Amino acid sequence: MRITRALSLALLTLGLAAGPAAADSSPSASPTDDAKAPTTAGTSFRTATEVEQGVTATANASAGDYLYWSFPADAEQRPTVKATVKLPDTHASQSWQIDVYDGLRRRQACQYGAQTRTAAQGSPSVELACTLRTVRAWTEPWDDAPLPGTYYVRLTAVGLKTADLGLPVSAEIQVESKDIGGAAAVDGSLSEALVPGIGITAKDEADASDSDGSAKSPKSAVLSSIEPDGGWSSNWWSDRWVWTAVGGMLAALAGIGGYALTRGNGRPRNLPPGV
């Protein structure tokens, strides 16, 4: 009876712990319906158009242009960038490529996906995709693992023929992330997310002072104001804490069950009855 009650308690605890873990493994929630979808793209890292995850950004451009967007990615997320380029009715064979850079402008390798594709002559469109590695909360300085912060997407045609330069094209991109959860947790975190900023100059410090000479803290200037819903993760909590606690409880219950099975009724078997 005691063993059955202990096993029931263990199964109940395991079920309660599996709930948050299952929720963490689901794709990130879509932004609110009133989120404005960008209709332009930047031409450099500094002018990259910000786009929320789950929102489809569009842009009209000319073949040969470099198109830039930026999006936020937090720890324990695995972002996937998808792009579609609609081509004119008449064009030669074209190769298009999508590249993703982190907040330090390091090019990140695609874990899988068609990062470069060639559109045959007369093809109406070409589709690209790039799934990054899971974003880590912390890594060694020599490692190029993805870190929390702003990420940049660059879309362009490579090896374009002269006859196709300047032809009108339209592009759209969308970024979605899968929350990996505690399976990607590491022991450590960045003090701040890698969001590009602008250094405070002496003039900015002078402007930040009151007329009476008392100093005020200058406002921090950032190139990217977009961040994940709920802000950047502090990264001290993950569902691996739940599974660690569940494992400890199961180990304790297994010890109690083993003791209950082996301890007997407390009476030596070699004693005669009545003693």
Side-chain angles (χ1 to χ4, degrees), residues 169-273:
V169 296
S170 62
E172 63 180 37
I173 71 161
Q174 186 179 41
V175 182
E176 294 181 348
S177 291
K178 180 179 180 181
D179 196 342
I180 304 302
V186 294
D187 295 329
S189 62
L190 298 180
S191 58
E192 293 183 5
L194 298 179
V195 178
I198 304 174
I200 302 300
T201 63
K203 182 178 181 299
D204 296 328
E205 293 180 351
D207 294 341
S209 300
D210 289 333
S211 57
D212 58 358
S214 60
K216 295 190 303 183
S217 298
K219 296 181 179 179
S220 60
V222 296
L223 290 177
S224 179
S225 60
I226 199 169
E227 62 181 26
D229 294 338
W232 298 104
S233 174
S234 61
N235 209 58
W236 68 271
W237 167 261
S238 67
D239 59 4
R240 71 170 181 170
W241 292 98
V242 177
W243 291 109
T244 301
V246 171
M249 293 181 64
L250 291 178
L253 292 174
I256 295 174
Y259 174 74
L261 289 174
T262 57
R263 72 184 182 91
N265 57 8
R267 176 184 176 84
R269 296 185 179 179
N270 56 349
L271 293 179

Side-chain angles (χ1 to χ4, degrees), residues 30-250:
S30 300
T32 56
D33 295 335
D34 58 354
K36 185 177 180 181
T39 56
T40 59
T43 56
S44 66
F45 286 102
R46 292 180 63 87
T47 61
T49 299
E50 297 178 348
V51 56
E52 291 274 6
Q53 292 195 25
V55 174
T56 301
T58 59
N60 294 322
S62 300
D65 291 344
Y66 285 87
L67 307 179
Y68 286 83
W69 293 269
S70 65
F71 67 93
D74 208 353
E76 302 177 12
Q77 288 184 345
R78 182 184 295 165
T80 296
V81 182
K82 297 181 181 179
T84 301
V85 182
K86 298 180 181 178
L87 305 173
D89 296 336
T90 303
H91 65 84
S93 176
Q94 296 183 9
S95 296
W96 286 79
Q97 180 172 309
I98 187 172
D99 297 300
V100 183
Y101 299 82
D102 65 5
L104 299 177
R105 297 186 184 180
R106 303 176 302 179
R107 184 176 178 273
Q108 293 295 321
C110 298
Q111 193 174 25
Y112 52 86
Q115 183 180 6
T116 303
R117 297 192 70 175
T118 300
Q121 183 176 359
S123 298
S125 63
V126 59
E127 296 182 356
L128 307 167
C130 175
T131 298
L132 301 178
R133 294 170 294 170
T134 303
V135 178
R136 295 167 57 92
W138 177 87
T139 185
E140 296 287 349
W142 48 262
D143 196 357
D144 63 346
L147 295 170
T150 301
Y151 281 74
Y152 298 93
V153 180
R154 184 179 71 183
L155 177 65
T156 187
V158 293
L160 196 64
K161 297 182 179 179
T162 306
D164 284 346
L165 284 173
L167 289 179
V169 296
S170 62
E172 63 180 37
I173 71 161
Q174 186 179 41
V175 182
E176 294 181 348
S177 291
K178 180 179 180 181
D179 196 342
I180 304 302
V186 294
D187 295 329
S189 62
L190 298 180
S191 58
E192 293 183 5
L194 298 179
V195 178
I198 304 174
I200 302 300
T201 63
K203 182 178 181 299
D204 296 328
E205 293 180 351
D207 294 341
S209 300
D210 289 333
S211 57
D212 58 358
S214 60
K216 295 190 303 183
S217 298
K219 296 181 179 179
S220 60
V222 296
L223 290 177
S224 179
S225 60
I226 199 169
E227 62 181 26
D229 294 338
W232 298 104
S233 174
S234 61
N235 209 58
W236 68 271
W237 167 261
S238 67
D239 59 4
R240 71 170 181 170
W241 292 98
V242 177
W243 291 109
T244 301
V246 171
M249 293 181 64
L250 291 178

